[in-house]
Structure formats: C-alpha cells, structure tokens
Amino acid sequence: MDWELKTLLNELKEGRESTNQLMKHLQPPSSHQTRQVLLQKILCFYEKALSILNWNGFVVQTMPAFESSPSIDRSSDVSDQKDVFKRRKTSSWWTEQTRVCSAKSLDNPLDDGYCWRKYGQKAILGANFPRGYYRCTHRHSQGCLAIKQVQRSDNDPTNVEVKYKGRHTCNQASHFAAAFVPVSAESKKKGNHSRKRPYQLEEKQKQVQHIFSSFESGLKVKTEDLDNREEIFPSFSFPVESEQVKNGLFVEALMENDIMGSLSPAFMSPATSESNYFSVSPCRMGSFESDLTDIISDPTSVTNSPIGDLDISSLDKLEFDPSFPFDNPEFFS
DNA sequence: GGTATTTGACCCCT
DNA sequence: AGGGGTCAAATACC
C-alpha cells in the first residue's frame, strides 16, 4: 500500500511538473508538437494516478486471495476467494482475432511486433486445427513472461484467434523506433549491426506497418473480462492529429517509452479504427492484463509510464532550441 | 555453432 | 481419467 501511495504521489507530482512545463511552452516560440507531447504526458500521469486509486478499491476487497497461492485457494472452501482466483485467471488473458490474407500470412499469422518462440503445439479436442503455444523470445535473457496461444478458426481457417497472457517486460518494444530510422542512418551509427540481424530492421518496419494497418483491417480485440477491466481501468481517449500519426512522431514517442510493450495488441482498439483517437488506458503499465501481482510486484510499473518516462532533458532542450528536429526520427533512436 | 521448431512425454487441473 | 499446458530432446535451419 505504501508503494501505491508513493506512486500516486509521484504521478501527481509529475503531472504538476508537466503542467508547469506546459505553461512555459504555451508561450511562443515553443512548438505545437512540444505542447502536444506535454499534454499527453500530463494526461498519462493523471490516468495512472486514477488507475491506482481504482486499483486500490479493488485490492482492498480481494487482497487475501491474491496473497495466497492458487493451489491453496483451491484446497480451501472459501467461495469468495475461489471467485477471486477465477477472476484473476480469466482476466489475465485477452484475445485478438485477426484475418490473414496471404499464404505468407498464414505461415506467420500474427506478426504482432514481438519475437515469439514456439514451445509447443497441441491438438485441441473438437478443433480442426492445433493450438500453438508461444512465449517471448526474451523469456530467459530478460525474464519476459509474455505468452500467447494461436489457433486457427475451425469455420474460417483464415481467421486466427490469438490469446495473449502476460505483458512484455523485455525491451523489444522500445526498439520499435528504430523501424523509422533510415537504413543508412542506422548502419552509419551501428556499423554492421543490421548485417548481423538483417531480419530485425526490415521486420520491425513491417511490424509497425502492420500495427497501423490493423487500425484499418478490422482487427478484432476482445478481453475475457472486459467489464472488469473497464471497472478497474476506465478507458481513456485523447485526440491525436493525423499528421502526427503519419509522420510517426506520436508513435515514436510512445514506443520510446515502451508503450507498445506495455499496452499489448489490445492497444489497437477496434473502436478507434476509423478515427484519429487512440482509445487506450495509456497509463496502464501492465498492458491489459489485469494481473494484480504484476502491478504490485513489478518495480518497473512505477516508472513504466509510456509518456511518463519521456526524457525531460529532451524537452528542456526543446525549450532552448525551438528548431529542434522533432520530425527527425533519429532524435528518437 | 547458435537459434528456432517440432513433437512425444510429462505434469497439473478439473 | 482426460484435456490442456509445458518441458525438453531431437531435428532443422541459417
């Protein structure tokens, strides 16, 4: 509880600080983009603070069940605790359904921007197609616990249902920004890095394109327990200028701050596919996974704010250099 | 040789 | 006991 209070205080302080910065940037010659970033940042702090408050309401009632192990829960006969366990179990999954079009896509049905390693495949009773089990490639190297299950629909083999569990704690997402960096610039800076893993840069570009095309391609995302999520993390939308989306500024800012890693594919809400709004709980650091243990035990949750980690020094730099190249992708690399 | 995939075996939960 | 999830040895690929 102390941790949450500290975090809450911290978020509010950050929000105040950012508001102060925004006030400064309201004067010319500060750029519109700078103000936009600051606004997003402020909203993020407040959203996170609100999330914590909401979370607490939930925690107070259910904490005992979370503190004990699932097996203990099951052996006990306390129906309340069992319900809580059940809720946790179901709410930690969310499902994405997507349609694949090409033969290539069928081979790689959900290139969702992360590196997954297949660790199993199982024939499922009553299903025509086996279920594939994937975990994050960086499970061992970085302790990333994200997993997903991929299963093709019986009725429509081009329709693939992907279930995700666990958020990415690896740094894959933060490297997305590199996808926007021209190859020449990248190779200049990192020598033969791209030669070593030619797949990565090219793939990341595709992945980011995929992410955006998902806005338009009818990607369907659902959660196992949406009502519950809404209750804990009320959805939150803010407008983003389409031009900024186009030039990647906003996305780069988010990516740099690991939002893609923390928000999961559910970030691409179908409700927003036709608009210029990102409908997200942008400050829900643990993605859509409502896993209490994550938000409480994971120390990175405190500082994992997608906008919150935005390098203040860079903003300060902007303050003194109005012509700072925000539209230059290298700034974010 | 390092990394990813496949697949049968095993474990756990219901 | 059976189904689903994971492990890990074997294999494939680069």
Side-chain angles (χ1 to χ4, degrees), chain A residues 7-19 45:
Chain A
T7 309
L8 184 59
L9 269 173
N10 189 49
E11 292 304 312
L12 290 171
K13 274 180 354 193
E14 294 274 19
R16 187 182 58 187
E17 178 62 28
S18 295
T19 308
F45 290 133

Side-chain angles (χ1 to χ4, degrees), chain A residues 7 22 42 55 63 68 80 129 150 203 228 281-282 310 313 322:
Chain A
T7 309
L22 179 62
I42 291 164
W55 208 207
M63 202 55 165
S68 55
D80 283 348
F129 301 97
V150 178
E203 281 302 307
N228 190 31
S281 293
L310 199 65
S313 61

Side-chain angles (χ1 to χ4, degrees), chain A residues 144-196:
Chain A
C144 181
L145 296 176
I147 60 173
K148 75 171 179 180
Q149 297 178 357
V150 178
Q151 186 158 25
R152 211 161 286 176
S153 167
D154 288 346
N155 304 328
D156 182 5
T158 64
N159 197 34
V160 178
E161 184 176 277
V162 185
K163 284 166 100 175
Y164 292 89
K165 187 182 184 183
R167 70 189 176 97
H168 283 273
T169 55
C170 59
N171 63 4
Q172 283 182 82
S174 63
H175 293 154
F176 268 106
F180 290 97
V181 179
V183 175
S184 56
E186 180 76 0
S187 54
K188 251 187 270 174
K189 273 193 288 185
K190 297 185 179 173
N192 63 354
H193 176 76
S194 60
R195 184 184 165 271
K196 192 182 173 188

Side-chain angles (χ1 to χ4, degrees), chain A residues 65-124:
Chain A
F66 286 99
E67 282 171 341
S68 55
S69 73
S71 57
I72 292 171
D73 286 342
R74 271 187 294 280
S75 63
S76 72
D77 214 4
V78 184
S79 60
D80 283 348
Q81 289 188 354
K82 219 173 173 181
D83 286 347
V84 170
F85 171 72
K86 216 174 177 181
R87 184 191 310 189
R88 181 194 180 191
K89 193 178 179 182
T90 56
S91 65
S92 63
W93 285 95
W94 65 94
T95 306
E96 174 181 309
Q97 288 182 324
T98 190
R99 190 172 292 277
V100 291
C101 304
S102 64
K104 185 173 180 290
S105 298
L106 277 165
D107 290 339
N108 188 11
L110 254 194
D111 184 3
D112 53 17
Y114 292 103
C115 297
W116 298 98
R117 182 177 189 142
K118 192 172 186 177
Y119 66 89
Q121 179 169 301
K122 192 87 179 175
I124 301 301

